[in-house]
Amino acid sequence: MPEGEFDPPGRPGKPTAISVEHDSIKLEWKAPQYGSSTIDSYIVSLQCISESPEKWLNQETKGNETTITLNQLQPDTKYIVKVRADCSLGHSEESDISDIIQTKPPMIDIKLQNIIADSKVIEHGPPVVYQIKARPVRLTERYSNIFKMEYGTPVVPPKPTRVLMVVGATGAGKSTLINAMVNYFLGVKWEHKFRLKLIYDEVLHGQTHSQTQVITAYTFY
């Protein structure tokens, strides 16, 4: 179809990913074969495959650029994209839908990488669960009903400390709460495909020793 003064732009090319990160995708596509000089902008529509097929999120390009970076995406998630051209005369047909584009897994900082390397896999998941290595601390006989565990390296000079007391009967969820706090303290995020755990009963006592008979103290540096 020849380019006409009153025709809307032709159909843009199928968008493709030229770079993919854990939270962004950079796309490019070919301009329409005709009407490209009249294009004011492109509307890029993004859909997460795991969501409703009717749910598309739109983002507009700056001018008639044929590239765009879509930010604030979810890590390790599959998306599809389509593009249309807009001008004062109307808009083009939508492009073909892109191939499935999957963002990278969430980034893990060096500290967490070192923790994982020094931990033991206890559940293969998903998510994979690692038992972190806490050190038992010997106390005097006066404190025979207290078991203390330490994790991390003490800092010099010492920093101010906080004490959190967790009280409850066996099975009340104390260990679950402590494990959740451990993941938060050490920087594990919801989107990570692993979790960290302290398994105090199995490490020191075995399942026959009830935690309701002793006080367990954890120190994190």
Side-chain angles (χ1 to χ4, degrees):
M1 178 178 177
E3 181 176 348
E5 184 178 355
F6 301 106
D7 294 327
R11 190 183 191 196
K14 176 180 175 179
T16 58
I18 55 178
S19 68
V20 179
E21 301 298 335
H22 72 283
D23 61 352
S24 66
I25 299 171
K26 186 174 183 180
L27 300 161
E28 69 175 0
W29 57 91
K30 291 183 178 180
Q33 293 184 353
Y34 60 89
S36 58
S37 61
T38 66
I39 294 173
D40 296 323
S41 64
Y42 291 92
I43 303 299
V44 180
S45 301
L46 173 80
Q47 182 187 106
C48 176
I49 287 183
S50 63
E51 296 183 358
S52 167
E54 287 79 30
K55 185 177 180 180
W56 291 86
L57 300 177
N58 296 330
Q59 186 168 332
E60 188 173 2
T61 64
K62 295 180 179 179
N64 59 0
E65 297 178 355
T66 56
T67 63
I68 193 172
T69 300
L70 304 177
N71 296 305
Q72 297 182 336
L73 305 181
Q74 295 298 316
D76 201 17
T77 302
K78 295 178 180 179
Y79 294 94
I80 52 176
V81 184
K82 59 185 179 181
V83 180
R84 78 165 191 257
D86 276 14
C87 70
S88 59
L89 301 174
H91 57 78
S92 71
E93 294 182 30
E94 292 179 333
S95 69
D96 289 334
I97 293 176
S98 70
D99 296 332
I100 293 174
I101 307 168
Q102 184 166 354
T103 50
K104 293 182 179 180
M107 296 180 65
I108 303 175
D109 61 25
I110 296 298
K111 177 183 175 181
L112 270 178
Q113 291 180 32
N114 292 336
I115 291 172
I116 290 172
D118 194 41
S119 301
K120 175 185 177 182
V121 176
I122 55 174
E123 296 178 28
H124 291 278
V128 179
V129 179
Y130 295 91
Q131 177 188 324
I132 64 174
K133 293 181 179 179
R135 301 181 301 276
V137 178
R138 289 186 175 275
L139 301 175
T140 63
E141 290 187 6
R142 179 182 177 185
Y143 302 103
S144 60
N145 65 332
I146 299 177
F147 292 92
K148 185 175 181 180
M149 301 286 287
E150 290 184 342
Y151 183 83
T153 304
V155 295
V156 179
K159 293 183 178 180
T161 60
R162 298 290 185 271
V163 177
L164 177 64
M165 181 178 292
V166 181
V167 180
T170 301
K174 300 185 299 295
S175 296
T176 300
L177 176 60
I178 291 170
N179 286 327
M181 291 190 293
V182 166
N183 282 269
Y184 176 78
F185 294 155
L186 299 180
V188 178
K189 300 184 182 301
W190 177 259
E191 58 266 24
H192 286 149
K193 301 300 183 182
F194 64 90
R195 295 293 182 265
L196 306 176
K197 185 177 283 190
L198 277 175
I199 308 181
Y200 179 76
D201 284 345
E202 293 184 6
V203 173
L204 290 185
H205 305 295
Q207 296 295 339
T208 59
H209 196 113
S210 171
Q211 285 205 37
T212 57
Q213 299 174 9
V214 298
I215 297 172
T216 307
Y218 298 97
T219 301
F220 290 87
Y221 296 104

